[in-house]
Amino acid sequence: MEAAWFAIVSGMLAVYAVLDGFDLGVGIVHRLVARTDEERRTVLAAIGPVWDGNEVWLIAAGGVLFVAFPRVYATAFSGFYMALMVVLWLLILRGVAIEFRSHQDNLLWREFWDTVFSAASALLAVAFGTTLGNLVRGVPLGREGLHGMPLFTNFRPGREPGILDWYTGLVGLFTLATLAGHGALYLVWRTDGPVRERSLGFARVTWKIALVLWGGATAATAWVRPDLFSGLGSRPWTIAFVALAMVGAWGALRFPSRGRELAAFLASSAFLLGLVATALAGNYPFWLRSTLDLSDSLTATNSASAPQGLGVALAWWAVGITLVAGYFTHLFRSVRGKIRPDDGPGPTALPAVSTPREPAPHDPPVEARIPGRRGGDARTSRNR
């Protein structure tokens, strides 16, 4: 039962990496592939209906972790408290930036929030990559738990490392490049015109950089955690995850040049799924591996809830994940196809419209009195 829940949490994290990964990637490349306000509204419209739903997968994965492995949940939140607060604020800034940019028809206002959106997305990608690096490398977990890991110490992996060192930083940079390429391929699939062409060129370059960093991160992992690869070798079925990542990397490089836009994005998604699944499968049974004493580590066995509770939770999880899968299938089917600026950045946007009043006899037409009708975000006209 513990192994099944380890696989469930790992699978939800992998799905989150794919779904919110392209949201983060779109944010990273936002200012690079879109140069005019209309192009930037097109980019935001491409993720508008789905970005907030994609982020829910992170919350759901955290909830499932709390149910199945409460000790891991409590220890991780106390040890990574400062890093989690940084992630929380970055998530808030991304949402605020998307919503606020349309509230003023002012060039500097929109440039500011576009910059906030891109910067928060890039920093989140690095933060999530660094988190994965900490899970693989290990943390200074003792018998009394994990109390407030420092952001960095001497930037070297060791018995008492910080959250950031050269290894976790390398994984963070690799994640940044990978998600940037993932988001660019999503825009290639969902947009047209100059945004698509720039995204295509950006994806080609970024994926080459990402694969070079992948090789470097793999070599570094073999030096920091050689036992992770022996764990993969002892479980032949994990070869499927490695193969999925390799095929996905090949497709992300080859399909764009052949005009197969959706296939390229799906290949990118397969790469992320295979990569996260491989890392967590190799790490099994460890959730938090202690760098001080391996016996103090938190594993799927010593941190799981009672078997009876896990059995009841599994039944409810099956119902919930079925509903979620149906909802996301309907959502992505309803927004398929090329995006246009008039589609707007999303249903949650607030229109930049003042409180309506009765028009005076000599008032201009209503279209002229709605901010954003000519130069503002298209979400205004959509919400009307």
Side-chain angles (χ1 to χ4, degrees), residues 30-78:
H30 180 223
R31 290 183 58 86
L32 301 176
V33 302
R35 298 175 183 174
T36 67
D37 185 65
E38 181 180 4
E39 290 174 356
R40 289 179 181 174
R41 287 188 289 117
T42 300
V43 169
L44 293 178
I47 63 171
V50 297
W51 72 270
D52 45 359
N54 291 342
E55 287 185 348
V56 172
W57 280 90
L58 180 62
I59 300 172
V64 172
L65 182 68
F66 173 75
V67 170
F69 305 102
R71 287 184 61 195
V72 175
Y73 180 91
T75 303
F77 269 70
S78 61

Side-chain angles (χ1 to χ4, degrees), residues 27-362:
I28 295 168
V29 305
H30 180 223
R31 290 183 58 86
L32 301 176
V33 302
R35 298 175 183 174
T36 67
D37 185 65
E38 181 180 4
E39 290 174 356
R40 289 179 181 174
R41 287 188 289 117
T42 300
V43 169
L44 293 178
I47 63 171
V50 297
W51 72 270
D52 45 359
N54 291 342
E55 287 185 348
V56 172
W57 280 90
L58 180 62
I59 300 172
V64 172
L65 182 68
F66 173 75
V67 170
F69 305 102
R71 287 184 61 195
V72 175
Y73 180 91
T75 303
F77 269 70
S78 61
F80 292 95
Y81 185 81
M82 180 174 62
L84 287 169
M85 290 299 102
V86 171
V87 168
L88 177 62
W89 276 105
L90 291 174
L91 287 170
I92 291 172
L93 283 175
R94 285 186 78 238
V96 168
I98 292 176
E99 298 291 343
F100 274 25
R101 80 174 302 275
S102 67
H103 285 199
Q104 294 288 336
D105 188 7
N106 181 280
L107 178 61
L108 290 178
W109 174 270
R110 294 187 175 186
E111 286 288 339
F112 172 77
W113 288 114
D114 287 341
T115 302
V116 169
F117 179 55
S118 294
S121 299
L123 290 173
L124 269 173
V126 174
F128 288 139
T130 301
T131 301
L132 180 61
N134 274 269
L135 290 179
V136 172
R137 179 205 61 194
V139 295
L141 177 63
R143 293 185 178 181
E144 297 180 355
L146 183 64
H147 301 293
M149 281 185 68
L151 185 60
F152 58 87
T153 53
N154 57 5
F155 284 97
R156 297 178 183 176
R159 281 179 55 83
E160 298 185 9
I163 295 173
L164 283 173
D165 57 29
W166 67 262
Y167 172 72
T168 59
L170 176 61
V171 178
L173 290 177
F174 164 59
T175 305
L176 174 64
T178 302
L179 294 187
H182 187 47
L185 287 180
Y186 177 78
L187 290 177
V188 170
W189 170 45
R190 293 282 281 128
T191 64
D192 214 341
V195 173
R196 179 194 177 278
E197 296 306 316
R198 295 190 198 107
S199 298
L200 181 59
F202 190 86
R204 288 170 176 167
V205 174
T206 308
W207 271 103
K208 292 176 182 177
I209 296 173
L211 294 183
V212 171
L213 290 173
W214 183 27
T218 302
T221 301
W223 187 80
V224 173
R225 277 285 311 278
D227 59 299
L228 185 141
F229 292 91
S230 61
L232 289 173
S234 64
R235 307 180 189 98
W237 50 269
T238 59
I239 296 176
F241 298 146
V242 179
L244 182 64
M246 295 181 69
V247 171
W250 176 85
L253 285 174
R254 296 288 294 175
F255 288 145
S257 60
R258 299 180 179 181
R260 301 179 63 182
E261 300 171 351
L262 178 57
F265 174 67
L266 293 178
S268 174
S269 301
F271 175 74
L272 282 169
L273 277 174
L275 190 70
V276 175
T278 299
L280 294 176
N283 211 41
Y284 180 81
F286 295 106
W287 275 121
L288 294 176
R289 183 180 183 274
S290 176
T291 58
L292 302 176
D293 188 342
L294 203 60
S295 63
D296 292 330
S297 303
L298 291 181
T299 67
T301 303
N302 65 18
S303 62
S305 299
Q308 182 179 2
L310 291 179
V312 174
L314 184 61
W316 283 105
W317 178 86
V319 174
I321 203 65
T322 301
L323 295 174
V324 169
Y327 167 75
F328 271 84
T329 299
H330 169 72
L331 176 62
F332 278 91
R333 283 180 60 86
S334 65
V335 299
R336 67 186 184 275
K338 295 290 185 179
I339 204 72
R340 297 290 184 271
D342 288 341
D343 291 336
T348 61
L350 297 176
V353 181
S354 59
T355 305
R357 62 178 177 83
E358 290 297 325
H362 300 291

Side-chain angles (χ1 to χ4, degrees), residues 367-380:
E367 289 81 3
R369 290 187 286 109
I370 299 179
R373 181 64 178 184
R374 298 300 178 191
D377 271 7
R379 75 179 87 179
T380 301

